[in-house]
Amino acid sequence: MTNSAWETLSDQAVAVAGVVYFLALLAHLVEWASLREVAPATAGAGAAGAADGEGGTGSVAVDTGPDRGAERERRVALFGRLGLLLTGLACAVHLVALVGRGLAADPNRVPWGNMYEFTVSGTFVVTLMYLVLHRRFSLAWMAPFVTAFVLSTLMIAVIWLHSEVTPLTEALNSYWLVIHVVSAVIATGAFTLGGILSAAYLVKDRRGEATTGPLARVPSLATLDRVSYRIHAFAFPVWTFAVLITGPIWAHEAWSSYWNWDPKEVWAFITWVVYAAYLHARSTAGWKGRNAAILALVGVATLWFNFIGINFFSTTTQHGYAESAPAFVEPVGR
Amino acid sequence: MSTAPPDTRPEARERRAGELSPRELGRWLWRQLTSMRTALILLLMLALAAVPGSIIPQEGVDSVKTARWQDEHPTLTPIYEKLSLFSVYDSPWFSAIYLLLMISLVGCIIPRTFVYLRAIRAAPPAAPRNLGRLPDHTSYETDEETRAVLERARAALKDRGYRLRPDDGSDAVSAERGYLREVGNLLFHLSVVVVLVAFAMGGLFGFRGGAIIVQGTTFTNTLTQYDDFEPGQLFSAGQMDPFTFRFDDFDVEWQNTPRRGVLARAFKAGLTYRETPDAAEKSYDLRVNHPLSVGDTDVFLIGHGYAPVITVKDGNGEEVFNGPVPFLPQDQTFLSFGVLKVPDSPTGEIGLEGLFYPTFQLADGNPVTIYPNDANPLISMQVYTGDLGLETSSQSVYDLDKTNAEQLLTDDGKPLRLDLELGESATLPDGLGTVTFDDVRPWTRIQFSQSPGKEVALVGVVLALVGLLGSLFIRPRRVWVRARREGGVTMVEVAALDRSGGGDVVPVLEELVGELRTAVPTGTAGTTRDTREDEGRNDT
Ligand code: HEM
């Protein structure tokens, strides 16, 4: 296959992945809509169904209640499984898009030379981590949020960030880059999942424990807090490795100084400090729970701002992938 | 871990400062400063304080952009300057937060180290009177003797790496594991201090400088040879390594991309260098991402461009300038901008300013460059004379002071533009002389730096990571097993406590109780048969 054929394949794969994510999201929305009607105990299902009045006949026989409840539960399970399957499929196509991107470049390279590629990689990791951790942490309830997040971020990537395949500028052409970016992207995926958990925590904290409807599916506050902590506890060392070890090593090789206070570095540091504060908050009386969850959300905000936003604000960044001109032709002072 | 931070003690907060003696006040302040909550707030302040530096151009990061920004914002500039907003990371307020955090950190670590040293020798605490009060507990009944149950519990916990409280004949077993978590935590925080110190050392004793070096020339590592030089506050000239190198050859690989045109993909500078004036000569191909280390100095290839070789003769035919003039690339086409100043011409100062086209083509009489390689080069210069301020002001080499200068014009009053192809020369009007474009040579921008303490910083962060992993993933827990005879059966209560607040101890309990109830006892002969029978019963 030629390079441009790979590039086309990649672009098409992103589009297909987007469509499949959309279908997955739809499936999960149906699942949740069905949940709305299901009362947790079978005994209550008839009453809930009757109260909805959506039987249409106006006179709902009481003894059909449990049946309908069971049927709805089947529907919930069916669409839940369908959604998961579609998400898995989308994730596979998403991977094809990444591989195609890498093979389209001459010479072949890792698919993270610019913002578009970073975003596509980052969202891929979010999906992948969700799928991997799905069983272990019972994350089924997160499905609509994850698919909606990935879908909308992919759309942003395609509409605003898309750019052609180009060879890596030489400063980016280093195996440290591979290690640095792999770890940064993994941490980003994990922090994003952690952020969704923290958001759910805050919503649930506001609304109180629900016994019916979609909120009932969201695990208890204690569980949310614990799972969120465990994901953050995984992501934080990975982020430390990415931005405070491999990043500086690479910066030293490419730019002659291991820490330059470049805006990207500054924000990576800010993110790190905020998450360190999150970890501290969890073990500080008065900051536990709610405030810690807020800090986790602040962390995610700084993370994604650094990923995308800073390029539009900052006046100086050497992180060349944000712009098209070669990043290493520096003017001389004096 | 659960050692409560001192600030949660009620008496520390209820008293007002006015009621304290100076000594108490000092202690109170110290306690506040080293409390976890203060650390948390300082951390958040540090994050917040780092923000402006990423939005406002920083002198230390890009002095050219900073100067330009300052020109564009005349009203804000003095205010920002007062607030040190152009050098946020060296500013007093940033340093203050940073120092307070350091003090808080050290003040926190030292006492904790002693607490830890005591804790590591201590036995697990005795079982609480009522295990049922703990959030995670379970119980079962058995016919087994209490001693037998406790013996097995001890063995099972020991197998799982728990430390046991010496058997004091009580009705319960106390066990604890995860002592190393605290070591990890201390290691992490200590390493943060190490990294901060190493980082500060790099800033104080290091330097960073750069020079544009034209192919064929020799560079001697002395301050005068640098184009720009940023020393740390405690840098001394004696730190300069006495190396020299010659820039022999240059290689650039151009790549045609379908949509973005021709890009420079890889470039390298072949150097011959001597570490000291009388050391043997060595050679090195300097490339981006592949620095050369000489002594304590690292040498980096940062960028490249073209230096047209230009000869200027004055009105008397005397050569007043001859040499390569590095032009700065403006974009990836390598259209480059340059300035040539000739101060010591007896027939009047001459200043040339203009563009270099690596591969030019004429479009409507104006040159455009179609390829970044120097296949068909052209310089296109405008000429100034009069007072160029060359003797007085120390300005940038890429800045021609035209305030008192006079631009040379053609006969019909338009600005004179010299378009010279390789080998061509032009005669300047008013008997000023001639300009010849002799040759093109590549230049590279080379950056030099010393960052003392960089190895220490690296070791520091790696240790911090190791400590962090320990602190996050070693699960400190306590387990208690109590067995009591009650109404002819043995009541066994098991409780577990996760001391990190992150773990779920229910599986730990289930697993342990599962083993206690089913394991075949190996101990004292007398109880063996009985327990087997128990087991049969339990399984049904
Ligand atoms: C540069 C500043 C600091 C950073 C980056 C930092 C980072 C961390 C991290 C990542 C943890 C692990 C959290 C966990 O085990 O769940 C931690 C724990 C802790 N830090 Fe810090 N810390 C900093 C400053 C401080 C200071 C100044 C203090 C002292 C007041 C402090 C006290 C503690 C304590 C007591 C813990 C144990 C929390 C626990 O696990 O129960 N830290 N710190």
Side-chain angles (χ1 to χ4, degrees), chain A residues 229 236 272-273 275-277 279-280 282-284, chain B residues 1-3 5 33-40 42-43 46 100-109 112 181-182 185 188-189 192-193 196 468 471-472 499-500:
Chain A
Y229 169 71
F236 187 72
W272 188 79
V273 168
Y275 279 115
L279 291 178
H280 282 96
R282 278 194 87 262
S283 41
T284 306
Chain B
M1 282 306 145
S2 55
T3 36
L33 183 61
T34 55
S35 81
M36 183 96 152
R37 177 163 315 174
T38 310
L40 189 55
L42 286 173
L43 275 173
L46 188 70
L100 279 176
L101 192 60
M102 283 270 269
I103 295 171
S104 162
L105 191 56
V106 172
C108 184
I109 295 174
R112 274 171 73 96
R181 177 192 171 92
E182 184 76 348
N185 195 8
F188 170 79
H189 287 83
V192 170
V193 178
L196 292 180
L468 185 65
S471 146
L472 290 173
R499 303 186 58 220
S500 67

Side-chain angles (χ1 to χ4, degrees), chain A residues 171-285:
Chain A
L172 298 184
N173 192 2
S174 151
Y175 58 85
W176 283 112
L177 172 82
V178 178
I179 305 173
H180 170 68
V181 175
V182 166
S183 43
V185 166
I186 289 176
T188 302
F191 278 138
T192 305
L193 280 188
I196 296 177
L197 279 153
S198 301
Y201 181 99
L202 289 177
V203 170
K204 192 134 185 168
D205 190 44
R206 254 341 259 279
R207 296 274 185 80
E209 299 277 346
T211 49
T212 58
L215 260 186
R217 278 202 88 184
V218 179
S220 70
L221 284 178
T223 311
L224 281 175
D225 182 60
R226 194 171 57 233
V227 175
S228 165
Y229 169 71
R230 291 188 55 180
I231 290 183
H232 283 113
F234 163 76
F236 187 72
V238 179
W239 185 250
T240 307
F241 178 71
V243 304
L244 298 183
I245 296 183
T246 58
I249 290 178
W250 171 47
H252 178 262
E253 309 242 298
W255 301 330
S256 83
S257 154
Y258 62 85
W259 192 266
N260 300 283
W261 292 112
D262 172 276
K264 282 263 169 196
E265 285 173 352
V266 172
W267 280 86
F269 173 70
I270 291 174
T271 303
W272 188 79
V273 168
V274 171
Y275 279 115
Y278 162 83
L279 291 178
H280 282 96
R282 278 194 87 262
S283 41
T284 306

